Amino acid sequence: MSSFKQIVELIADDLTAVEAKLTEQTASEYSFVDMAVQHVVEGGGKRLRPILVVLSAKVCGYEGSDAHTLAAVVELIHVASLVHDDVLDEAAIRRGRETLQTKWGNKVAVLVGDYLHARVLSMLVARRADDPAMAILADTTQAMCEGEVIHAYKSGDFDISEAEYLKIISFKTGKLITASCTLGAHLGTTDKQTLEALTTYGQQIGTAFQIVDDVLDFTEDTDKLGKNAFGDLREGKLTFPIIYARSVCNDDEKQTLEKVLNSNTDEAEAIAFVESLFQHYGVEVHCLKVAQNYADRAKVALTVLPEIPARVALEQLADYVVARES
Amino acid sequence: MSSFKQIVELIADDLTAVEAKLTEQTASEYSFVDMAVQHVVEGGGKRLRPILVVLSAKVCGYEGSDAHTLAAVVELIHVASLVHDDVLDEAAIRRGRETLQTKWGNKVAVLVGDYLHARVLSMLVARRADDPAMAILADTTQAMCEGEVIHAYKSGDFDISEAEYLKIISFKTGKLITASCTLGAHLGTTDKQTLEALTTYGQQIGTAFQIVDDVLDFTEDTDKLGKNAFGDLREGKLTFPIIYARSVCNDDEKQTLEKVLNSNTDEAEAIAFVESLFQHYGVEVHCLKVAQNYADRAKVALTVLPEIPARVALEQLADYVVARES
């Protein structure tokens, strides 16, 4: 059995409770809204963020149902961002299903994303007044948008450095993954060292996760990926492998790469060029090594925590983030 | 001096404070995000919702700076919805300026809308724990999305009734206008009758406001409107005047109207047809009369409140909502 399946099995009851919350908390009296929302919420995905909330709560000694609510909250924020991303990227499939805009058009897709955010707000309002979740998530959603805006704005800026890119993804992707860990931790502890350990863990796997996501766009086929392969490339998006390749290739290759990203070449030719470039410079191997370094740092951060099954699961999850195939 | 200018003058200091909050609360460390946000936030508009918050607070005896924060919050929610609407409608101008997607593309526009919502959450988090604002706005933003989704989904459904349409606009537009009044009122009072009076006032002017908005799309020129005239018609949107016209015209005209809304006719011809249809059946006069009835009911609701300048201003505002030319 894969380590991911083991993790899912360890917290199977919790994940069932999270799914129930997701359905219950997004219900609308309008059946069309309900259907459109369920289409994306039930669309599956790995539920990485809910898993992080539940495990982070457990590793801090918390076992109650608040973890399920917060797990549903972070997943809804994530799904809302995917729905909007798909509008932006004009993506046709996601998680192996038709996207909302393919089924019902852009309007419905933008609005369903907004609706999910509104439901998140409702879920947070219903909680305790002294709850740190609201402040954490206000900060998180703001950073996610800033990261996304900057990434969109910088597309076409070939001089973006690896450091700049890592900062953008720490906002775009890292913040919500980190929040998943800290929200869970806050349920069980107020100990500063523990909270910091889980924050660091979240930051490190967040970066690893996005780097691997960037790599998978080039190496996976559409079926496994659940979305269109080479989507980032088609979009002309500067991602980690491209930024690395650009830093090691020669001037001619650099020029061709810029043409490819500006869509000035035939699509099949573009893909063939990038694949051979990546092959030649060992781009995939390099990027996965960088991602593994982040995962390793994440695991080191956990050493201050008790060696209970939840901690082992978090360690396995760090490796899974790098080893996953979709 | 117009009654609207008088109202603005009465609360000039408050509105200056609201503008300062708007700028201060949307600042980003990223200069591009800052610029894009300021482009829409400073884009003007009438600031109807901030005016309602301030006047509703005053009429309930509240004079502090919390009204300015909540006024900024409702305006940001409104601006965020406009930004997303413009993406949906592919609008090129708004409030007399280029829209975000014209200047920087759809991505930036969707994300700036999301960013504004995130800032709203931050502003709410910073408030008192017993504050009812969060719950009111969670409910409001959810209803706004539901109304918008249903309106988008129902476009092309010619059998939508006036009652159904009024329900949709009470969600889409009415809820935030109502929330502006109740948020202000809650600052000054816990008296149930007073809160109900301002809720009713908000609901009635909300409906009046949207009906007049629908009418202005057909009767105003692009310059005055600050957005493209006949935009709703081009979009094939079913609005109040169209629903009324359809209920009184003959079968031939009904068929032509459906063709027009399905964009099966030349644009100039379509506009000419709708203008003559409206002329023949007195559609504009009828709709404005309906809107005035709502405004009158709004004013009646205020009679339980003390006759101070803020109440007079709210009464004038109800009439202004119907009489305005843009």
Side-chain angles (χ1 to χ4, degrees):
Chain A
M1 186 155 56
S2 78
S3 65
F4 187 68
K5 275 202 184 136
Q6 281 175 357
I7 297 165
V8 168
E9 210 152 272
L10 178 70
I11 56 169
D13 291 346
D14 296 284
L15 293 176
T16 305
V18 172
E19 292 302 316
K21 287 264 179 215
L22 282 171
T23 308
E24 171 196 314
Q25 292 294 330
T26 53
S28 165
E29 60 163 313
Y30 285 106
S31 59
F32 174 71
V33 176
D34 229 17
M35 179 173 60
V37 166
Q38 291 317 314
H39 180 78
V40 290
V41 171
E42 288 170 359
K46 289 176 285 292
R47 305 296 197 216
L48 173 66
R49 292 155 193 81
I51 290 171
L52 286 169
V53 175
V54 169
L55 289 177
S56 299
K58 275 189 201 298
V59 85
C60 296
Y62 180 85
E63 289 284 348
S65 69
D66 244 13
H68 309 145
T69 305
L70 290 178
V73 162
V74 294
E75 186 66 9
L76 289 180
I77 292 174
H78 175 57
V79 171
S81 78
L82 295 183
V83 167
H84 280 182
D85 276 355
D86 287 343
V87 175
L88 308 182
D89 297 347
E90 296 166 22
I93 52 169
R94 158 79 73 182
R95 291 176 168 177
R97 291 178 161 211
E98 276 183 299
T99 54
L100 282 184
Q101 74 268 23
T102 308
K103 276 184 94 81
W104 295 293
N106 265 358
K107 297 196 186 208
V108 168
V110 171
L111 293 168
V112 165
D114 291 350
Y115 176 79
L116 292 175
H117 279 298
R119 293 310 298 246
V120 162
L121 188 53
S122 303
M123 290 168 81
L124 292 173
V125 166
R127 294 170 52 76
R128 300 184 313 272
D130 64 340
D131 182 19
M134 188 96 70
I136 292 171
L137 289 168
D139 175 60
T140 300
T141 49
Q142 182 178 322
M144 288 171 75
C145 294
E146 288 181 312
E148 291 254 27
V149 176
I150 294 302
H151 202 202
Y153 179 61
K154 289 264 179 184
S155 82
D157 175 359
F158 296 111
D159 286 326
I160 191 169
S161 70
E162 204 173 284
E164 275 181 282
Y165 182 71
L166 289 173
K167 186 173 177 194
I168 289 173
I169 66 176
S170 79
F171 273 51
K172 229 180 75 137
T173 312
K175 280 272 184 175
L176 188 60
I177 287 178
T178 307
S180 304
C181 300
T182 49
L183 289 171
H186 273 290
L187 291 175
T189 189
T190 54
D191 175 59
K192 222 182 137 194
Q193 200 193 15
T194 307
L195 291 171
E196 273 175 12
L198 282 159
T199 303
T200 304
Y201 172 83
Q203 287 166 340
Q204 303 298 317
I205 66 159
T207 303
F209 183 85
Q210 186 60 52
I211 291 173
V212 174
D213 235 40
D214 289 355
V215 172
L216 287 171
D217 189 67
F218 294 98
T219 57
E220 279 309 297
D221 54 33
T222 300
D223 277 358
K224 266 201 196 156
L225 208 53
K227 59 184 178 184
N228 284 315
F230 300 104
D232 292 342
L233 188 63
R234 282 197 197 91
E235 278 286 301
K237 261 189 205 164
L238 286 160
T239 61
F240 197 81
I242 294 283
I243 292 166
Y244 173 69
R246 198 175 169 279
S247 73
V248 291
C249 70
N250 66 39
D251 283 351
D252 279 359
E253 290 163 336
K254 222 184 251 187
Q255 278 188 4
T256 312
L257 193 55
E258 291 190 9
K259 268 189 211 149
V260 162
L261 290 166
N262 283 325
S263 309
N264 286 339
T265 47
D266 171 76
E267 194 173 295
E269 261 176 58
I271 291 174
F273 168 75
V274 171
E275 282 186 329
S276 87
L277 190 74
F278 279 22
Q279 188 73 36
H280 183 74
Y281 290 103
V283 172
E284 183 186 346
V285 173
H286 170 82
C287 294
L288 291 179
K289 210 195 278 172
V290 173
Q292 187 61 53
N293 284 341
Y294 281 101
D296 291 342
R297 282 199 283 269
K299 288 189 285 182
V300 169
L302 296 179
T303 49
V304 299
L305 301 173
E307 272 192 272
I308 58 174
R311 175 180 142 185
V312 177
L314 285 170
E315 287 165 354
Q316 289 174 332
L317 201 57
D319 287 328
Y320 164 75
V321 158
V322 181
R324 72 203 164 97
E325 292 191 337
S326 66
Chain B
M1 185 157 55
S2 79
S3 65
F4 187 68
K5 275 201 184 139
Q6 280 174 358
I7 297 165
V8 168
E9 209 151 273
L10 178 70
I11 56 169
D13 290 348
D14 297 283
L15 293 177
T16 305
V18 173
E19 292 302 316
K21 287 262 179 215
L22 283 171
T23 307
E24 171 197 315
Q25 292 294 330
T26 53
S28 166
E29 60 162 313
Y30 286 105
S31 59
F32 174 71
V33 176
D34 228 18
M35 178 173 62
V37 166
Q38 291 317 315
H39 180 77
V40 288
V41 171
E42 289 171 0
K46 288 177 285 293
R47 306 296 197 216
L48 173 67
R49 293 155 194 82
I51 291 171
L52 286 169
V53 174
V54 169
L55 289 177
S56 299
K58 274 188 201 300
V59 84
C60 295
Y62 180 86
E63 290 284 349
S65 70
D66 244 13
H68 308 145
T69 304
L70 290 178
V73 161
V74 294
E75 186 66 8
L76 289 180
I77 293 175
H78 174 58
V79 171
S81 78
L82 295 184
V83 167
H84 280 182
D85 276 355
D86 286 343
V87 175
L88 308 182
D89 297 346
E90 296 166 24
I93 51 168
R94 157 79 73 182
R95 290 176 169 179
R97 290 177 163 212
E98 274 183 302
T99 55
L100 282 184
Q101 74 267 23
T102 307
K103 274 183 94 82
W104 294 293
N106 266 357
K107 298 196 186 208
V108 168
V110 170
L111 293 168
V112 165
D114 291 350
Y115 176 79
L116 292 176
H117 279 298
R119 292 310 298 246
V120 163
L121 189 54
S122 302
M123 289 168 82
L124 292 173
V125 166
R127 293 168 52 76
R128 300 184 313 272
D130 63 340
D131 182 18
M134 187 97 70
I136 292 171
L137 289 168
D139 175 61
T140 300
T141 49
Q142 183 178 322
M144 286 171 76
C145 295
E146 288 180 312
E148 291 254 26
V149 176
I150 294 302
H151 201 202
Y153 179 60
K154 288 265 179 184
S155 82
D157 175 358
F158 296 112
D159 287 327
I160 192 169
S161 69
E162 203 172 285
E164 276 182 282
Y165 182 71
L166 289 174
K167 185 173 176 195
I168 289 173
I169 64 175
S170 80
F171 273 51
K172 229 179 75 136
T173 312
K175 280 273 186 176
L176 189 60
I177 287 178
T178 307
S180 303
C181 300
T182 50
L183 288 172
H186 273 291
L187 291 176
T189 189
T190 54
D191 175 59
K192 224 183 137 195
Q193 200 193 15
T194 306
L195 291 170
E196 273 175 14
L198 282 159
T199 303
T200 304
Y201 172 84
Q203 287 165 339
Q204 303 298 318
I205 67 159
T207 304
F209 182 85
Q210 186 60 53
I211 292 173
V212 174
D213 236 39
D214 289 355
V215 171
L216 287 171
D217 189 66
F218 294 100
T219 56
E220 278 310 296
D221 53 33
T222 298
D223 276 358
K224 265 200 197 156
L225 208 53
K227 57 184 177 183
N228 284 315
F230 300 104
D232 293 342
L233 187 63
R234 282 199 197 91
E235 278 285 301
K237 261 191 206 162
L238 287 159
T239 60
F240 196 81
I242 293 285
I243 292 166
Y244 173 69
R246 197 175 170 279
S247 72
V248 291
C249 70
N250 66 38
D251 282 352
D252 279 359
E253 289 163 337
K254 221 184 253 187
Q255 278 189 5
T256 311
L257 193 56
E258 291 190 8
K259 269 190 211 151
V260 163
L261 290 165
N262 283 325
S263 308
N264 287 338
T265 47
D266 171 78
E267 193 172 296
E269 261 176 57
I271 291 174
F273 168 75
V274 171
E275 282 187 329
S276 86
L277 190 74
F278 278 23
Q279 187 75 36
H280 184 73
Y281 290 103
V283 172
E284 182 186 346
V285 173
H286 169 83
C287 294
L288 291 179
K289 212 196 275 173
V290 173
Q292 187 61 52
N293 284 341
Y294 281 101
D296 290 343
R297 282 199 283 270
K299 289 188 285 181
V300 169
L302 296 180
T303 50
V304 300
L305 301 173
E307 272 192 272
I308 58 174
R311 175 179 142 187
V312 177
L314 285 170
E315 287 165 354
Q316 288 174 333
L317 200 58
D319 287 328
Y320 164 74
V321 158
V322 181
R324 72 202 164 99
E325 292 190 336
S326 65

